[in-house]
Amino acid sequence: MYFNGQVLTADQHFDDHRTHEVPVQVYYEERHHDIGYIESICPAFVRINNIFYNRTLFTFISRPGY
């Protein structure tokens, strides 16, 4: 189980959110950039709303119940 505001870092975090359709908020330099559902993941990128986000440049936050 993930809590609201938890930072996602591990592959399993991203896969759990994709599988269970839990919303994820995307931040860039501590500023909100996007929110949505994970469509696909790979070691370098996460695809949300048909946009590929670099996992090292962006921060991903769990938003269950959004």
Side-chain angles (χ1 to χ4, degrees):
M1 179 56 76
Y2 296 91
F3 59 88
N4 190 26
Q6 182 173 346
V7 177
L8 309 179
T9 55
D11 289 342
Q12 187 64 48
H13 297 163
F14 292 106
D15 192 49
D16 287 345
H17 280 70
R18 182 186 58 78
T19 301
H20 300 290
E21 297 181 340
V22 176
V24 174
Q25 191 168 11
V26 181
Y27 282 85
Y28 180 71
E29 296 182 351
E30 298 182 13
R31 297 178 74 187
H32 169 79
H33 187 76
D34 198 1
I35 192 164
Y37 298 98
I38 295 175
E39 299 164 0
S40 60
I41 57 172
C42 72
F45 294 95
V46 175
R47 188 171 114 192
I48 298 172
N49 297 328
N50 208 30
I51 300 170
F52 288 88
Y53 292 101
N54 186 305
R55 287 174 59 172
T56 59
L57 295 177
F58 291 87
T59 302
F60 303 90
I61 307 293
S62 180
R63 293 295 184 212
Y66 175 77

